[in-house]
Amino acid sequence: VQLQASGGGLVQAGGSLRLSCAASGRTWRSYTMGWFRQAPGNERDFVAAITWTGDSTYYADSVKGRFTISRDNAKNTVYLQMNSLNPEDTAVYYCAAANSMGVNYSNLGLKEEYDYWGQGTLVTVSS
């Protein structure tokens, strides 16, 4: 599975961005997908995840009610809609894929649960 994240950029506080993660690989649709972010000097933190069916979604407390993860399996793409952005959301955002056959849904917040990673896209929120 190969992942390509895009959609980052510079936005003012209160604004919105939509990140996309294009996936390739014939088994991609069976993968649970996640978004993580890493600010300078910080660890890579969980943001959101979605099961391969799209039936279940998971969010970090810091983004609940502001961010929405979704997927379009026909387009091999996962999205992260980010609203009400604030400067604390500034980070490089990474998409990741976890093989649903072996995933522990209780551990979706752990980066060790994911098998593949995209290259990251930078989101900068100005105050």
Side-chain angles (χ1 to χ4, degrees):
V1 176
Q2 293 184 325
L3 306 174
Q4 180 76 33
S6 62
L10 175 63
V11 63
Q12 288 188 331
S16 298
L17 278 176
R18 188 176 79 158
L19 305 183
S20 299
C21 176
S24 61
R26 60 181 180 176
T27 61
W28 173 81
R29 297 180 183 183
S30 64
Y31 278 70
T32 295
M33 300 298 295
W35 285 97
F36 285 73
R37 66 186 181 186
Q38 187 168 17
N42 288 1
E43 296 289 322
R44 190 172 297 188
D45 295 327
F46 171 73
V47 175
I50 186 167
T51 56
W52 72 276
T53 60
D55 290 344
S56 296
T57 56
Y58 308 82
Y59 296 95
D61 288 343
S62 59
V63 306
K64 278 181 183 176
R66 300 189 299 124
F67 290 11
T68 302
I69 188 171
S70 61
R71 67 192 295 161
D72 186 338
N73 285 346
K75 295 183 178 180
N76 287 3
T77 303
V78 176
Y79 303 99
L80 185 68
Q81 177 66 43
M82 305 185 296
N83 299 329
S84 301
L85 285 161
N86 58 62
E88 289 70 37
D89 296 315
T90 295
V92 176
Y93 284 70
Y94 298 89
C95 60
N99 191 328
S100 296
M101 292 294 291
V103 72
N104 183 339
Y105 290 100
S106 298
N107 290 341
L108 286 179
L110 301 179
K111 48 185 184 296
E112 292 77 13
E113 198 65 27
Y114 295 82
D115 304 295
Y116 301 96
W117 293 85
Q119 87 289 0
T121 185
L122 176 62
V123 173
T124 304
V125 184
S126 63
S127 57

